[in-house]
Amino acid sequence: MSTWDGCFCLQCIREKEVGVVEDLGQFKRLVGEGPSCIFWPLQSVVGRLSLRVQQLDVLCETKTKDNVFVQVGVAVQYKVVTESAYDAWYRLTSPTSQIEAYVYDVIRSTIPRLELDAAFESKDDIAHAVLEQLQNVMKDYGYSIVNTLVTDLAPDSKVKASMNEINAARRLKEAASHQAEADKVRQVKNAEAEAEARYLSGLGVARQRKAIVQGLQASVSEFSEEVGGAKPKDVMDILLLSQYFDTLSVVGANSLILEHDPATVAGLQRQVGASFMTGGLEGGKRDLLS
């Protein structure tokens, strides 16, 4: 009777990995990180599963409720459950394909119920729906879904351009409204300033004329008192002549031609004197009546 002697083989499993040991094609056990002895050649480590968190990026195209096609990018973070490594190895041939299929299913059943703007606002809700669906399904296959993220939601480039134009037109409209309001305030303020300036100018002219009249009255009174035999009419003639020459000097600066001879001066004196006398008689009548 002959006997067959086997040998022990030392296998090392890396950190955060689990090894699957088979005995002549039949599952034998799971081995953790570190060295492990197996009975070779009857037993062998047929596979290793990583226990680290992995990420699968899925890109899915679908359309929204308002018939806009969008590219939705979803990042699925998953890992193998140590206690369920047997299911993770034997029950699924390709876990990434399984995850992609369920992501497509959730995205293409959720996005078509939302309009484009609502889809942008509901990214967290979409990610939560994908997470719930995957957690319920993948736990039976030895996988734990850590998190799902909607990383991109991109409509067609023409749709992007039209949305930008709509926003730009709205902002231009708001800017034009603000500019019109600013112009209105500026015009109102300018009108108020002009009215105030004219009012103050009128006050200045009135005070100037009042000062001139008071000065003429004081000059006539002082001259009549200091010069004996001088009448107020003589003083007024002198003052009118002086004012006339001052007027000629101002007018001459503007290159205007006026008639100038002694008769003109005499006629001007008579006219001004008559107007002053008329004003004086009317003032005296008002004083008597009062």
Side-chain angles (χ1 to χ4, degrees), residues 189-210:
K189 292 299 181 182
N190 290 338
E192 292 178 352
E194 184 177 358
E196 184 69 17
R198 290 182 178 180
Y199 172 74
L200 295 177
S201 176
L203 289 179
V205 171
R207 291 174 180 173
Q208 180 186 15
R209 291 175 179 175
K210 183 178 180 181

Side-chain angles (χ1 to χ4, degrees), residues 4-24:
W4 180 84
D5 294 330
C7 63
F8 287 98
C9 179
L10 188 65
Q11 290 283 337
C12 292
I13 306 299
R14 301 182 63 181
E15 184 73 19
K16 288 297 180 180
E17 286 187 352
V18 61
V20 181
V21 179
E22 289 184 353
D23 187 355
L24 296 177

Side-chain angles (χ1 to χ4, degrees), residues 123-161:
K123 291 176 64 176
D124 292 339
D125 297 336
I126 297 170
H128 184 69
V130 175
L131 178 63
E132 283 188 344
Q133 180 73 3
L134 289 177
Q135 282 179 338
N136 294 333
V137 174
M138 297 305 294
K139 68 180 181 180
D140 296 333
Y141 298 100
Y143 286 90
S144 172
I145 306 300
V146 179
N147 198 6
T148 57
L149 304 170
V150 176
T151 57
D152 192 18
L153 189 63
D156 185 77
S157 58
K158 294 181 179 179
V159 177
K160 288 182 180 179

Side-chain angles (χ1 to χ4, degrees), residues 76 86 133 138 155 187 267 270:
V76 180
Y86 173 87
Q133 180 73 3
M138 297 305 294
Q187 292 177 3
R270 287 193 299 272

Side-chain angles (χ1 to χ4, degrees), residues 19-30 85-86 89-90:
V20 181
V21 179
E22 289 184 353
D23 187 355
L24 296 177
Q26 182 180 8
F27 173 75
K28 185 66 176 180
R29 71 182 187 274
L30 297 173
Y86 173 87
W89 179 259
Y90 287 103

Side-chain angles (χ1 to χ4, degrees), residues 244-262:
Y244 180 73
F245 284 126
D246 292 339
T247 303
L248 286 180
S249 64
V250 174
V251 171
N254 296 322
S255 301
L256 296 177
I257 300 175
L258 298 175
E259 183 181 359
H260 174 64
D261 56 37

